[in-house]
Amino acid sequence: MITTCTECQARYQLDAEKIPPRVIKVRCPSCGGVFSLDGSLAKNQAQKEETQPQVKQPAVPEPAATVPATPEPVATVPATPEPVATAPATPEPVATVDAAPKKSSASVAVMDRPAPSSSRRRRSKEEMLARALVSDIMVYNQDLYDRAKAEGNLLEALGSEIKKSWELYKEKVTPEVANSTNHFRDALNEILADGDKLF
Amino acid sequence: MSLINYSSREINCKVVYYGPGLGGKTSNIQYVYEKLAPETKGKLVTLATEMDRTLFFDFLPLELGEVKGFKTRFHLYTVPGQVYYNASRKLILRGVDGIVFVADSSEARFDANIEALYNLHDNLKEYDLSLDDIPFVIQWNKRDVPDAIPVDELNKELNPEGYDNFEAVAVNGDGVFDTLKCVAKQVLRQLQTA
């Protein structure tokens, strides 16, 4: 399937088979932005794409969605693949059959693929704490989170957990720092709301 | 600091599995516990909090031999990984002889790994310790997840000091004993030079 980064509009081709059937987060290797992808729609979309003559199946499966993928020029097909600073593999033009040969095993590709270090920017200790707390809320309440995300009531469903984490955050970084910065709110929006300004 | 039991002629060494929540600390301990011969291990004790757990058991690895005429008994602990439970983590670190940091390789938990490392440094400092004083091994767990960050990248970001490190899929047992053997060897080496 093809997905588009909501931040920078870079497009990527991903193997629908490798995407779990739920809403997941994807980090864009080009801009570092995080956007959401509904895995349950991935297979449907992939099937639709298969029926479109201009989009050919990739030579081999691509790694799963949350793996930094290679930007794929869809609208324009370069004569030769363009190297991308943070992208490890050769860009694979989607609208051509003559794609560059790729590794034959998706799992090997996942293990070997260098991460886009430039997109994983250095954060302050306070930002890191905020993000770890919010990430904890998600992984420790995964089912609740998935359900609330689908139903659009994240705030109601996770309100008490968010409040608990906010209180701890304030205690750790001091209320002055917590209230004068947006680290906690940004972490909520980026991690729980997939980049939407929900909080 | 190892505790010496003169009556049983045993040195007790405490190894703590540290790391972010749901990163695989419990999986490590459970796998080790399952694989050990019944006569060499004590009971597996679980202390449950609301959301997290602390596991503990001790064992006497017969193949390690003796240190200065004493057998070595290892006590393995996990800490609750969730940021919220720091008081428990700090308490469990008291008297630690070796630390295994179980990192979650997934991109989504990258920040949680860093926070857990900061937290480990802070908590050790409270006991006037640092990672330079204590046997320390990093385990890159969950190598099988689709968004696993490559090991060289993890080493660059989280292990610039170059501590011993192993790849693992702890739920399958991959890398679990390699990690444990490495930290045990370091602990014994420190005992012998002490």
Side-chain angles (χ1 to χ4, degrees), chain B residues 117-186:
Chain B
L117 266 177
Y118 279 144
N119 176 258
L120 175 59
H121 282 282
D122 289 348
N123 282 340
L124 285 175
K125 214 169 163 186
E126 302 255 336
Y127 295 116
D128 287 326
L129 291 170
S130 83
L131 288 180
D132 298 330
D133 308 320
I134 298 174
F136 182 60
V137 176
I138 298 179
Q139 181 185 79
W140 308 122
N141 192 29
K142 302 195 187 179
R143 295 308 304 158
D144 58 338
V145 296
D147 66 336
I149 299 169
V151 169
D152 55 353
E153 191 67 25
L154 285 168
N155 268 311
K156 202 171 95 187
E157 301 270 8
L158 301 173
N159 185 22
E161 299 86 356
Y163 293 111
D164 289 333
N165 58 94
F166 296 88
E167 293 185 47
V169 182
V171 283
N172 302 336
D174 299 343
V176 168
F177 273 97
D178 293 333
T179 310
L180 177 58
K181 279 179 195 163
C182 183
V183 77
K185 209 185 281 181
Q186 287 187 30

Side-chain angles (χ1 to χ4, degrees), chain A residues 166-181:
Chain A
W166 167 246
E167 293 301 326
L168 180 65
Y169 180 68
K170 274 198 302 188
E171 187 189 314
K172 292 247 183 196
V173 304
T174 73
E176 292 74 31
V177 172
N179 288 317
S180 64
T181 59

Side-chain angles (χ1 to χ4, degrees), chain A residues 66-67 113 117 131 135-136, chain B residues 52 83 109 111 146-147 150 153:
Chain A
T66 45
V67 173
R113 189 177 284 261
S117 53
R131 293 174 65 85
S135 175
D136 271 1
Chain B
D52 226 323
V83 175
R109 293 294 276 166
D111 300 311
D147 66 336
E153 191 67 25

Side-chain angles (χ1 to χ4, degrees), chain A residues 17-35:
Chain A
E17 293 297 319
K18 298 283 176 187
I19 303 170
R22 57 183 168 84
V23 177
I24 57 166
K25 288 185 305 162
V26 182
R27 187 184 293 279
C28 172
S30 288
C31 70
V34 175
F35 59 98

Side-chain angles (χ1 to χ4, degrees), chain B residues 37 39-40 59-66 71-72:
Chain B
E39 64 275 14
T40 64
F59 72 104
L60 196 64
L62 302 169
E63 70 275 16
L64 284 178
E66 296 187 344
K71 285 175 273 190
T72 46

Side-chain angles (χ1 to χ4, degrees), chain A residues 3 155-156 179:
Chain A
T3 189
L155 202 54
E156 294 81 0
N179 288 317

